Amino acid sequence: MSEQTKELDKFELRLEEMLAKLQECQRQKGHKTCSACELFLECELRKEYVEAVYNSMSKGATGGFEF
């Protein structure tokens, strides 16, 4: 099965969901990046996105990444 045709797991689905939410927030605020936002360091949405990125790489396991 090729990389493009495999089904997304729950971590990848969550990452896609969070990316869409983050991009919508950036669009609404007129920013191209979160770092331009005044809420950058305390933004809960961004924190959830970072957590989704980590979980998509580690597949929820703790103690490091498996690539």
Side-chain angles (χ1 to χ4, degrees), residues 7-62:
E7 276 192 47
L8 298 178
D9 63 30
K10 67 180 180 178
F11 301 107
E12 294 165 326
L13 291 172
R14 176 71 173 154
L15 177 58
E16 285 190 0
E17 173 190 349
M18 291 309 302
L19 179 58
K21 287 181 180 183
L22 195 69
Q23 289 173 333
E24 177 60 20
C25 181
Q26 290 171 346
R27 187 190 63 73
Q28 287 179 355
K29 292 182 177 188
H31 298 314
K32 291 184 179 185
T33 177
C34 288
S35 62
C37 183
E38 64 280 356
L39 301 174
F40 178 69
L41 294 177
E42 58 261 355
C43 179
E44 287 301 317
L45 180 60
R46 184 178 164 275
K47 288 176 186 175
E48 288 179 42
Y49 171 72
V50 170
E51 184 177 307
V53 169
Y54 175 83
N55 284 332
S56 75
M57 292 189 296
S58 67
K59 303 300 181 202
T62 58

Side-chain angles (χ1 to χ4, degrees), residues 1-7:
M1 182 180 299
S2 77
E3 193 69 25
Q4 292 178 348
T5 60
K6 76 171 192 156
E7 276 192 47

